[in-house]
Amino acid sequence: MFIIFLQQISYTSQNLYMSDTDTFPYFYRTVPNELHLCAGIGKLLKHFGWNWVGIIAPNDEGSERAVRILREGIEQNGGCVSFHETFPHHGRIPDMQLEKIAGLINESSTVNILYFNENSVFTIQDVMRYYFLQIPGKVFISIDKMELSLEILLGFHMKNNSLIFTTHRKDMPKFFKFIRETNPIWLKTDYYSLDWWLSLCDSNCPKNIKRQCSPRSISSHTGSSEFSDHCHTTHFASSYNVYNAMYAVAHALHNMIMSGSGNDTTRSTENWEFLDYLPWKLHHYLRNLHFKNGLGEEMYMDENGDLATGYDIFTLLFLPDGTWKYEIVGSYNPHVPPGQDFTINEKAIIWESSFTQTPPQSRCSPSCHPGYRKLTRKEKPVCCYDCIPCAEGEVSNQTDMDTCTTCPEDQWPNQKRDACIPKMKTFLSYEDPLGIALTIISIFFVLINVAILGVFINYRDTPIVRANNRDLSYILLISLILCFLCSLIYIGHPKEVNCILRHITFGITFSITLSSILAKTITVVMAFHATKPESKLRKWMGSRVSIPMLLFCSFIQIVLCLAWLFIAPPFPYLNMRSEIGIIIIECNEGSIIAFYCVLGYLGFLASLSFIVAFLARNLPDSFNEAKYITFSMLVFCSVWISFIPTYSSTKGKYMVAVEIFAILASSAGLLGCIFLPKCYIILLSPEKNSRKYLTKHVMT
């Protein structure tokens, strides 16, 4: 009946088939199933960045299923299997197959998984491991420890290149004492087990394991060479799992007995009737088992009937003095919170000297550094790729990214394209050399304009000033001063007030300027015709026509500007797309229709002034201001016509600079063409500034 108990709980089998609770409802085990093993190997590969691995496994059905799950896990984590080679799980492996596998290992991946399970013949596994662990520059991940023999090791040049997953094990209390002191007289007929036990008499065994044997026992022992490797076995193979299995059954039996008899612990014949119903009754208590073993560890079964335990990760170290040992370097426990389930101590791993980089790398292609992304090669696994830089405006801040991410609109990639940095904000400022130059030019023209206005005021009673409509000249000069000054509003940080003022001031001041010129031109024409006898235009001379015309033309522009303000006024705008990596702080026009209406009206006034002045260019010299107006309007129109393509082809602060230059150039053209000739006569040729000269010039 006790055998029935043990058949319900296993201490070695990790087979996935046994996790099917429908097929095996009464099966339990004190080791995790292979699904957790595959997950642990995947964690190890991911930690070291090994995405190009080979797999060597026996061809039995259980291993094939586990390897399939392992491959799926590797591929889900972005890895690839460079090769998967199988070998017979029983019998001898042909030398040609060993050489083939060794060739695949040499030519392919650096990391290889030796998926040897308990179903394979141990001698086959160990022969293959002895064979492979001599290959330099390779890493082998195994799922079971090797049984090492000193005599065999002397014939091999083993490398420090293995990482081994074993089920979690510990030393049981007083177990080593039991091994040292037990006299195996009951093993006399079992020579194999007797040799194993007597091999612990070897003088090379550690003190905590070494048995004290009589000389007679040692001399009669012939198998010590075969089993001397047990001296170096950590935790004595499956003894920890056997220990937990026995105590699991014991606790389940105890719980079942106590539940059937209440708190009465007195033994009676009736208390043993539970043995007749044990297989299905014990199932309930094993399923809900929860206890602490002799080491103080919490023990319970998960939903599959597996003990909630994990794996230890060992490395096999071959020391310079010819000795060897297993060193624990990490663990994997699927039953603890994510982030704490996998640990690895890289400092405890000693890699062999043939590795050019530690930890060693195993990749089909080198890692793509931040700032690059992967481009998969045609007809190649996803692990084989080229690294290409991220496109403009994109970054990658991790290695081996499949795609680059686009930076937020107000940010831009740094030079390495591995991080987004704030875009540089730019505008035409007063500290900028270009801004300083334009400011100086603007002030220079304002001073000239003020000087000319002063000259005209000082010589206001001279014939040349009086003959060219003195009041309109004052208004024109003042409006030109405002035109020069309005260019300064375009310089500096664009704000809501600045944006409204710069466009509205530009539109109104230029409309006044052009209206004044138009009124001047019409006044010249009317003045010429008023000199004819019996002309009715005499009474309209002076300010009766010019001032109302000026006010009317300017009023239309003011109405357009007010409509612009009410519909959609200009506003500050962060232009993030015109220039790469730069945020241009500029003024958006708001209503485009209103903006073009204002500009169109200025164009209309300029065109009308040019036409009237052109038609009046051949008037007598005493009224020759029409010639200067014609030329000034030609300069004005030329500046603004050339401004359009130039303005469209520039960006950022240079676009604003072009706009300021057009304002300054057109205003300076008007000032120079209309007023400089008069100032020349007033200041340098005063003899021409007389009624006698003007009358004589007309008569001739």
Side-chain angles (χ1 to χ4, degrees), residues 491-689:
I491 304 173
H493 192 290
K495 297 179 181 178
E496 189 172 355
V497 175
N498 302 44
C499 292
I500 292 175
L501 283 178
R502 70 169 55 172
H503 289 93
I504 301 303
T505 305
F506 165 76
I508 293 175
T509 54
F510 263 83
S511 68
I512 294 173
T513 301
L514 294 173
S515 298
S516 301
I517 293 173
L518 179 61
K520 260 181 169 290
T521 309
I522 293 175
T523 301
V524 169
V525 174
M526 291 176 65
F528 173 75
H529 290 287
T531 58
K532 295 180 181 181
E534 299 180 358
S535 175
K536 296 180 180 180
L537 295 175
R538 287 177 179 270
K539 62 180 180 180
W540 297 103
M541 292 302 297
S543 302
R544 291 186 177 183
V545 174
S546 58
I547 298 301
M549 184 179 297
L550 170 64
L551 294 175
F552 177 75
C553 294
S554 301
F555 179 74
I556 294 175
Q557 184 71 304
I558 292 172
V559 171
L560 290 174
C561 289
L562 289 175
W564 188 4
L565 291 178
F566 281 108
I567 295 171
F571 60 90
Y573 171 68
L574 300 180
N575 188 341
M576 304 182 186
R577 299 184 179 180
S578 291
E579 290 193 42
I580 297 173
I582 294 176
I583 298 177
I584 302 170
I585 307 176
E586 60 186 18
C587 289
N588 188 287
E589 292 81 8
S591 174
I592 297 296
I593 296 176
F595 174 70
Y596 282 115
C597 285
V598 170
L599 291 183
Y601 183 69
L602 293 177
F604 169 75
L605 292 177
S607 302
L608 189 60
S609 299
F610 175 76
I611 293 170
V612 174
F614 180 78
L615 295 175
R617 71 188 184 283
N618 294 322
L619 294 177
D621 287 346
S622 57
F623 304 103
N624 64 357
E625 192 175 25
K627 293 181 180 180
Y628 302 134
I629 291 174
T630 303
F631 189 68
S632 67
M633 295 313 301
L634 185 62
V635 173
F636 182 89
C637 294
S638 299
V639 168
W640 285 101
I641 290 173
S642 61
F643 160 79
I644 295 173
T646 308
Y647 182 81
S648 302
S649 61
T650 54
K651 297 177 181 179
K653 62 183 181 181
Y654 299 105
M655 183 172 66
V656 179
V658 168
E659 196 169 358
I660 295 173
F661 177 80
I663 293 172
L664 295 176
S666 58
S667 301
L670 296 176
L671 181 66
C673 293
I674 296 174
F675 292 100
L676 284 183
K678 297 179 179 62
C679 289
Y680 175 79
I681 293 173
I682 293 170
L683 299 175
L684 301 178
S685 298
E687 69 278 3
K688 296 180 180 180
N689 190 10

Side-chain angles (χ1 to χ4, degrees), residues 312-554:
D312 293 325
I313 305 174
F314 286 84
T315 183
L316 178 56
L317 298 179
F318 298 97
L319 304 177
D321 60 1
T323 61
W324 56 273
K325 67 175 181 176
Y326 285 108
E327 186 77 23
I328 187 168
V329 295
S331 64
Y332 173 68
N333 188 344
H335 300 282
V336 300
Q340 305 174 22
D341 53 349
F342 178 81
T343 61
I344 192 76
N345 181 11
E346 294 187 33
K347 294 181 180 179
I349 304 174
I350 301 176
W351 303 104
E352 61 156 314
S353 58
S354 62
F355 289 120
T356 57
Q357 183 179 358
T358 54
Q361 296 296 303
S362 183
R363 311 181 67 87
C364 179
S365 300
S367 294
C368 291
H369 297 295
Y372 293 81
R373 70 173 180 87
K374 296 191 293 186
L375 179 65
T376 306
R377 297 171 186 168
K378 290 184 178 179
E379 299 179 358
K380 293 287 185 179
V382 294
C383 301
C384 302
Y385 48 79
D386 297 312
C387 297
I388 61 173
C390 290
E392 222 168 54
E394 296 181 340
V395 297
S396 62
N397 55 8
Q398 297 178 3
T399 57
D400 292 332
M401 290 194 69
D402 295 318
T403 57
C404 299
T405 56
T406 304
C407 287
E409 198 174 17
D410 61 340
Q411 296 183 3
W412 192 252
N414 59 359
Q415 190 173 4
K416 294 182 179 180
R417 297 188 181 182
D418 58 359
C420 292
I421 57 176
K423 288 183 178 179
M424 182 179 67
K425 294 182 178 180
T426 182
F427 57 90
L428 186 61
S429 67
Y430 286 103
E431 292 79 18
D432 192 281
L434 184 58
I436 294 172
L438 292 172
T439 302
I440 293 173
I441 293 171
S442 178
I443 294 173
F444 172 74
F445 280 116
V446 168
L447 295 176
I448 292 178
N449 207 328
V450 170
I452 293 174
L453 179 61
V455 170
F456 266 63
I457 293 173
N458 189 46
Y459 293 91
R460 60 185 178 276
D461 294 325
T462 60
I464 196 167
V465 175
R466 291 168 61 92
N468 289 283
N469 199 323
R470 183 171 49 189
D471 295 334
L472 281 179
S473 295
Y474 294 157
I475 295 173
L476 180 57
L477 285 169
I478 293 172
S479 65
L480 284 174
I481 291 173
L482 295 176
C483 288
F484 286 121
L485 290 175
C486 85
S487 64
L488 298 177
I489 307 176
Y490 285 79
I491 304 173
H493 192 290
K495 297 179 181 178
E496 189 172 355
V497 175
N498 302 44
C499 292
I500 292 175
L501 283 178
R502 70 169 55 172
H503 289 93
I504 301 303
T505 305
F506 165 76
I508 293 175
T509 54
F510 263 83
S511 68
I512 294 173
T513 301
L514 294 173
S515 298
S516 301
I517 293 173
L518 179 61
K520 260 181 169 290
T521 309
I522 293 175
T523 301
V524 169
V525 174
M526 291 176 65
F528 173 75
H529 290 287
T531 58
K532 295 180 181 181
E534 299 180 358
S535 175
K536 296 180 180 180
L537 295 175
R538 287 177 179 270
K539 62 180 180 180
W540 297 103
M541 292 302 297
S543 302
R544 291 186 177 183
V545 174
S546 58
I547 298 301
M549 184 179 297
L550 170 64
L551 294 175
F552 177 75
C553 294
S554 301

